Amino acid sequence: MPESDTKQIQASLEENVRIMREQLGNSSDIIFKPFAIDVGGAGVNAVVIYTAGLADSRSVQELIADILIIDMRNLDATRNLIGSKLAGGSQQCEDFETIFNRLMSGYIILLIDGSREAYSIEMSSFKDRGVPEATGETVIRGPKEGFSESIRTNTALIRRKIKNKQLWMETRQIGQVTQTDVSIMYIKGIANEKVVAEVRERLDRIDIDGILESGYIEELIQDETYSPFPTIYNSERPDVIAAELLEGKVAILVDGTPHVLVVPALFISFMHSAEDYYQRSDISSLLRILRFGGILIALLVPALYIAITTYHHEMIPPQLLISLAAQREGIPFPAFIEALMMEVIFEILREAGIRMPKAIGQAVSIVGTLVIGQAAVDAGIVSAAMVIVVSITAISSFVVPAMNMSISIRMLRFPLMGLAASFGLFGIIVGLIALMLHLCSLRSFGIPYMSPFGPFNLADQKDTLFRLPQWAMRTRPRLINQINVVRGRNQSERKRGRG
């Protein structure tokens, strides 16, 4: 039979089953359940096909029982009868490509002898973790629920937060082999239509064999490939994604991962925590100031220590200078090599603690850090002051709520240390200027990465370094949203309410 003929469903049930078994390689998890339908007193052969583990086997038995009690006088009435009688309805398939796609998505396929159409019924039974706790973005106050690996569970969690008909979703399959479900969610009338169109275009341009995690999508649609800073935000918390959608951003959900992408992403978004909006504004503002201070410590303290102890001794108080000189007596390495060794060792210990079994990972990382640091000081390889600097730096890097931004800061620490060792404070200043120029040149789906700082927007400063009270945050970010700027009722309704 020509290949073009095998793409269309045949009238012969036996031929259709043969084609499907052949195309599926007689896979043992593809179940074929044949039975006979009584049509006008004559028996007509039919078969139900499903994938074990993806479709509910109990629902398959109920489906067959429902079909058997349908009183079908002729095959011409099959379409209407099945569509109206079966629970949840059914969708028609006219080619094998559609059948295979739905079969692998957990649908049950019904084929009837003499009909050139198949029927797919959604009775999926995916095994997932339900609604777990968000382990990567923990909060003391606020919802504890997080996304799971099931895209349907994740979309339901978002719709539970935003009960509005304007919350629209578009789904497509990406990956020639995996056919992974990827959904776009946005609030119609709030989201920028240009950004939504750009997201659609970039997703449609993806040509790859498989998508196994949202990181694939992030790397394929991001604006800047060669930048240490992430230009796409991600979160595993439904409340965070709902808040981003309310600001006019677009969420991208990928089946098989609990991490949901958000575009456009701003630099300031990576510095905010979900708990900032659940505490009072004064507490949240204080925590943000501490957070930004921790970020500066994580980025600059090793470089400043190297620069000052190597080139700028006059900046150190005399008593402290004497103490540092006494500690460094007998140390065979310059400050840069000393700091580089300790930073690399700590990064290795941190990575080992993550990869080790959960029961011993934390203990090994803490004990290993203490033992190695003390042993290095006793052996005269590094000074005690350097251990303190590296420890403070490592602890401060954990204050960044977004892990990918924390990694970026850890990466940038090393070139700044090299500049400090080569040129002192002048090298650090040049490095910071180059860093700011790079940040100001970045864009995320057409939106400046450093907004509302650059370009500066006074109205949007209410939720950046500080957070104003909720009653004062009545407008959405203007660069992201230009249509529905005012939160809640529109301006005319508010005027009428005052009148």
Side-chain angles (χ1 to χ4, degrees):
M1 181 179 294
E3 184 179 354
S4 59
D5 295 339
T6 61
K7 293 182 180 180
Q8 300 298 321
I9 298 174
Q10 309 298 308
S12 170
L13 176 64
E14 183 179 352
E15 182 64 21
N16 291 332
V17 171
R18 184 194 66 80
I19 293 172
M20 290 192 65
R21 287 187 182 276
E22 182 179 315
Q23 293 291 323
L24 294 167
N26 289 312
S27 299
S28 57
D29 62 337
I30 308 298
I31 311 300
F32 292 78
K33 282 191 172 294
F35 61 98
I37 304 174
D38 184 16
V39 180
V44 176
N45 292 327
V47 64
V48 166
I49 310 162
Y50 66 97
T51 305
L54 297 184
D56 186 6
S57 57
R58 180 176 298 179
S59 298
V60 174
Q61 301 298 333
E62 295 175 356
L63 171 67
I64 296 174
D66 289 341
I67 295 174
L68 291 176
I69 64 175
I70 294 176
D71 183 18
M72 289 185 286
R73 302 299 179 186
N74 54 70
L75 282 178
D76 294 335
T78 300
R79 181 186 306 170
N80 294 332
L81 284 168
I82 290 179
S84 61
K85 295 287 185 180
L86 294 184
S90 62
Q91 299 177 7
Q92 298 177 23
C93 306
E94 298 181 353
D95 56 76
F96 284 106
E97 184 177 354
T98 306
I99 287 178
F100 291 138
N101 181 271
R102 291 181 180 170
L103 184 65
M104 299 305 168
S105 299
Y107 284 73
I108 296 172
I109 305 299
L110 171 64
L111 289 170
I112 301 175
D113 194 19
S115 175
R116 289 183 175 271
E117 293 177 343
Y119 305 91
S120 62
I121 303 97
E122 185 175 9
M123 294 184 176
S124 57
S125 177
F126 296 107
K127 304 297 183 184
D128 61 16
R129 297 183 296 152
V131 182
E133 184 175 349
T135 57
E137 301 172 66
T138 56
V139 295
I140 298 175
R141 179 176 181 177
K144 301 298 188 291
E145 61 187 7
F147 290 122
S148 71
E149 285 74 17
S150 171
I151 192 171
R152 287 294 161 257
T153 301
N154 297 343
T155 56
L157 288 172
I158 296 175
R159 288 199 179 275
R160 183 181 173 188
K161 300 287 183 185
I162 305 176
K163 304 179 182 69
N164 193 295
K165 64 180 181 180
Q166 296 299 104
L167 180 60
W168 289 10
M169 184 176 75
E170 305 171 10
T171 302
R172 63 203 69 204
Q173 283 74 40
I174 300 180
Q176 296 295 327
V177 178
T178 59
Q179 292 289 303
T180 305
D181 288 332
V182 177
S183 295
I184 304 171
M185 292 192 80
Y186 60 96
I187 302 177
K188 182 70 173 178
I190 295 180
N192 191 328
E193 291 294 337
K194 292 182 180 179
V195 174
V196 176
E198 182 68 20
V199 173
R200 291 194 196 104
E201 182 182 351
R202 295 192 189 186
L203 289 178
D204 292 338
R205 286 204 307 260
I206 295 177
D207 184 14
I208 194 172
D209 60 344
I211 300 292
L212 301 179
E213 212 274 337
S214 58
Y216 286 60
I217 298 290
E218 179 179 354
E219 195 167 352
L220 290 168
I221 68 173
Q222 64 185 353
D223 289 69
E224 295 289 338
T225 303
Y226 302 106
S227 174
F229 295 99
T231 54
I232 295 178
Y233 184 71
N234 74 84
S235 176
E236 58 177 335
R237 295 182 58 88
D239 56 330
V240 172
I241 300 301
E244 298 286 353
L245 290 172
L246 289 171
E247 287 193 348
K249 299 181 182 179
V250 181
I252 304 173
L253 298 91
V254 181
D255 193 23
T257 175
H259 294 275
V260 175
L261 306 179
V262 176
V263 295
L266 307 181
F267 176 81
I268 196 67
S269 299
F270 294 92
M271 305 303 171
H272 293 170
S273 170
E275 201 169 10
D276 291 348
Y277 302 92
Y278 306 142
Q279 302 281 0
R280 294 201 323 265
S281 60
D282 52 350
I283 297 175
S284 299
S285 298
L286 174 62
L287 293 177
R288 284 187 181 181
I289 294 171
L290 292 175
R291 196 175 298 144
F292 278 93
I295 292 168
L296 291 176
I297 291 173
L299 182 65
L300 295 176
V301 163
L304 288 173
Y305 178 82
I306 293 170
I308 292 173
T309 56
T310 305
Y311 296 101
H312 310 284
H313 301 111
E314 68 279 0
M315 297 180 64
I316 307 175
Q319 290 184 343
L320 179 59
L321 180 62
I322 294 171
S323 175
L324 291 176
Q327 291 179 28
R328 291 195 52 78
E329 186 178 358
I331 302 296
F333 305 109
F336 172 67
I337 300 300
E338 195 181 352
L340 187 63
M341 284 192 307
M342 291 302 296
E343 288 287 352
V344 170
I345 290 172
F346 187 86
E347 292 296 333
I348 292 173
L349 286 171
R350 173 157 36 190
E351 189 68 15
I354 296 173
R355 307 303 167 197
M356 282 183 179
K358 188 175 181 180
I360 63 172
Q362 186 176 3
V364 169
S365 61
I366 294 174
V367 173
T369 304
L370 294 174
V371 171
I372 291 176
Q374 185 62 43
V377 173
D378 293 342
I381 299 175
V382 297
S383 62
M386 180 59 72
V387 174
I388 294 173
V389 167
V390 173
S391 301
I392 293 175
T393 303
I395 293 171
S396 299
S397 65
F398 288 108
V399 303
V400 184
M403 181 58 67
N404 48 359
M405 181 59 73
S406 175
I407 294 173
S408 300
I409 292 172
R410 285 156 53 189
M411 289 170 54
L412 292 169
R413 187 187 304 155
F414 292 97
L416 285 175
M417 288 165 55
L419 289 172
S422 302
F423 307 103
L425 289 177
F426 177 76
I428 296 176
I429 293 172
V430 170
L432 289 176
I433 292 174
L435 188 61
M436 291 306 301
L437 290 175
H438 174 69
L439 282 170
C440 292
S441 69
L442 294 178
R443 285 181 174 267
S444 177
F445 284 77
I447 306 299
Y449 192 59
M450 289 302 292
S451 63
F453 301 116
F456 184 79
N457 188 327
L458 181 61
D460 287 346
Q461 300 301 317
K462 58 185 177 295
D463 189 23
T464 52
L465 298 177
F466 304 93
R467 183 181 77 78
L468 297 184
Q470 291 289 349
W471 54 264
M473 299 200 301
R474 295 292 298 173
T475 57
R476 297 182 175 89
R478 295 183 182 274
L479 277 178
I480 297 174
N481 184 285
Q482 292 88 24
I483 304 172
N484 191 345
V485 177
V486 179
R487 296 178 182 268
R489 295 179 295 174
N490 58 40
Q491 290 285 1
S492 60
E493 290 177 337
R494 292 172 66 189
K495 288 178 182 178
R496 287 199 300 270
R498 287 197 298 264

